Amino acid sequence: MSFATLWRSASQTSASQSSTRNMTRNWVHPPEALLRGHIVYVVKFLGCVVVDSPKGIEVVRQAVTKIKFSNQLKKNDQGKGDSKLSKVEFTVSVDGLTIIDPKSKMVLHRYPLHKISYCADDKGEKKMFSFIAKDNETSPNQHKCFVFVSEKAAEEITLTVGQAFDLAYRKFLESSGKDVEIKKNYVLLQKKVQQLEKENQELRHRLVEVQLLKDRTEIEAYKSKRNIKDLNQVCETKEQMNGSSSVVSPNTHKPQV
């Protein structure tokens, strides 16, 4: 899935959360915080489960039901043991989402943004938020839903993920524009190399012919016959000039990014 698709999905999610926000919305964090670093939230991890669809609030609700049921079974097996949800560090940046154990600092799960297909907070249960990611560990088309609990920051976390998508998409567009310019310069350099190779070939040919001449009169006659002003320089032919002008024409259409 492309960044463009992901960004539109994130924008639609954010739009449903706040109808007063628009494309020039004031995000939660300074852009540099997500571009050059990351934002960390300490949240409770409810669990994760494989889902049949990559997005949708109903998909999330079904996932939450399955996770809660599974957790209840574990609680019953443990009896009166510790059944509290484990705390994790939920890290957000333009590189992706990472779930880290706060004590050992071991990475439990990590997904780049292009694998995230859905992210939302639950309006019915405001302390809960989730995301769905493509998981290739067991199946190439498998998706998992991760669900978390945050008493006060569920909506803020969802908006932070949306901001990360927005910044990543803009970064993608900027790099694509640079790639187009690099490719254009590469084509021009190729043309220049071809032109230099032709000039070198012509110069080598002249040297061979000049070696066969006896005196200066014959050399001048040779230059006149070949329309050569200087034996050390090769002027562009009309064909070469037309070929190069077609490459650098100011009316050349630039591909849309």
Side-chain angles (χ1 to χ4, degrees):
M1 185 178 292
S2 67
F3 273 124
T5 304
L6 287 167
W7 181 80
R8 285 196 296 269
S9 176
S11 298
Q12 290 167 0
T13 301
S14 298
S16 66
Q17 294 170 347
S18 178
S19 58
T20 58
R21 284 181 166 83
N22 52 35
M23 293 302 294
T24 57
R25 63 169 68 87
N26 292 322
W27 288 109
V28 182
H29 306 282
E32 291 300 314
L34 290 163
L35 287 168
R36 297 188 178 183
H38 54 264
I39 306 298
V40 180
Y41 295 96
V42 177
V43 299
K44 293 178 181 179
F45 185 34
L46 188 65
C48 66
V49 66
V50 175
V51 292
D52 298 328
S53 178
K55 59 183 178 179
I57 190 63
E58 287 302 321
V59 177
V60 171
R61 287 172 180 169
Q62 291 175 11
V64 171
T65 301
K66 290 180 181 179
I67 293 171
K68 285 184 175 180
F69 179 73
S70 177
N71 289 350
Q72 185 62 43
L73 291 178
K74 291 178 182 178
K75 182 179 178 180
N76 293 339
D77 291 339
Q78 293 172 354
K80 294 183 179 180
D82 187 10
S83 60
K84 292 182 179 180
L85 297 177
S86 59
K87 289 185 177 181
V88 296
E89 292 181 356
F90 185 81
T91 303
V92 185
S93 75
V94 293
D95 296 322
L97 308 181
T98 307
I99 304 168
I100 301 173
D101 182 276
K103 294 181 180 179
S104 65
K105 297 301 178 182
M106 183 177 70
V107 174
L108 304 176
H109 303 279
R110 176 179 287 154
Y111 292 97
L113 287 187
H114 70 268
K115 288 192 175 183
I116 308 297
S117 56
Y118 189 80
C119 180
D121 57 285
D122 193 335
K123 291 307 173 185
E125 201 167 346
K126 294 186 177 181
K127 63 181 181 179
M128 196 173 294
F129 72 96
S130 60
F131 74 85
I132 298 176
K134 188 173 183 179
D135 192 291
N136 296 331
E137 291 182 0
T138 57
S139 174
N141 295 317
Q142 178 175 280
H143 289 81
K144 283 185 178 180
C145 180
F146 293 78
V147 185
F148 307 86
V149 175
S150 176
E151 297 295 334
K152 298 180 180 180
E155 183 177 8
E156 179 184 322
I157 293 171
T158 305
L159 290 174
T160 301
V161 175
Q163 183 181 6
F165 273 120
D166 181 78
L167 292 170
Y169 180 66
R170 295 175 189 274
K171 185 179 179 181
F172 168 75
L173 289 182
E174 290 176 1
S175 63
S176 296
K178 291 178 181 177
D179 288 343
V180 170
E181 188 65 25
I182 290 172
K183 289 177 181 177
K184 180 181 176 182
N185 290 335
Y186 178 71
V187 172
L188 293 175
L189 286 173
Q190 280 187 318
K191 292 288 184 181
K192 185 63 177 177
V193 169
Q194 291 174 1
Q195 179 184 335
L196 290 173
E197 288 177 347
K198 289 181 179 179
E199 290 180 5
N200 287 334
Q201 185 178 2
E202 175 63 20
L203 286 171
R204 286 194 296 269
H205 180 68
R206 287 182 187 179
L207 289 173
V208 172
E209 292 182 330
V210 168
Q211 287 175 355
L212 300 176
L213 301 178
K214 296 180 180 179
D215 54 33
R216 187 168 185 81
T217 303
E218 289 183 346
I219 294 176
E220 291 300 326
Y222 170 80
K223 290 169 60 178
S224 177
K225 182 180 179 180
R226 298 289 299 274
N227 194 24
I228 298 172
K229 293 182 180 180
D230 188 342
L231 287 171
N232 296 318
Q233 293 183 358
V234 178
C235 298
E236 286 185 336
T237 63
K238 290 183 178 181
E239 181 180 351
Q240 289 174 331
M241 294 177 65
N242 291 336
S244 62
S245 63
S246 63
V247 176
V248 297
S249 172
N251 295 324
T252 301
H253 177 68
K254 294 183 179 180
Q256 296 295 320
V257 177

